[in-house]
Amino acid sequence: MPPTRRQPEQQNEQAWCLTVVTNAVVCWHTEYMGLAVDELRGAGREVYAEVLSHVSPARSSAVNYYGSITVDYEAELAQLDDKGRRPLRTVAVDDPAAGL
């Protein structure tokens, strides 16, 4: 647990750092969501703009505003392809978690 920031300047600095990290995660999710939509459309699936207008890259289990996230860097790096991206997850079409 990080030490408590007692001075207003320290609290402000910590808040800005957390904002930067959160924004980076949201940008990363935006990129991968775009790749997922492109892959679905490339496979012939209809992905309606109306549906996409209700999808937010900030709403994810990986975005944790109040705690810490533990990452196994070695395992994550081992998954990267030649472009430095993780593979998109595959889901069965009849799976309710398939979303789009």
Side-chain angles (χ1 to χ4, degrees):
M1 180 100 162
T4 304
R5 307 291 187 216
R6 295 176 191 232
Q7 300 301 317
E9 299 84 21
Q10 292 173 327
Q11 291 173 354
N12 191 36
E13 180 180 301
Q14 184 175 18
W16 278 111
C17 290
L18 293 173
T19 299
V20 169
V21 170
T22 301
N23 289 341
V25 170
V26 170
C27 286
W28 190 256
H29 287 174
T30 301
E31 172 72 14
Y32 271 79
M33 290 171 82
L35 292 171
V37 169
D38 290 345
E39 187 169 295
L40 288 171
R41 287 180 173 155
R45 299 261 322 258
E46 289 246 9
V47 180
Y48 300 105
E50 173 62 25
V51 173
L52 291 176
S53 70
H54 297 282
V55 177
S56 169
R59 303 279 303 190
S60 168
S61 61
V63 177
N64 181 350
Y65 296 102
Y66 305 109
S68 62
I69 300 172
T70 303
V71 177
D72 181 354
Y73 292 105
E74 296 300 322
E76 292 297 324
L77 291 173
Q79 297 181 46
L80 300 181
D81 65 12
D82 57 341
K83 293 182 180 178
R85 295 178 175 156
R86 290 177 59 204
L88 298 171
R89 285 181 260 163
T90 55
V91 187
V93 175
D94 59 348
D95 184 351
L100 303 173

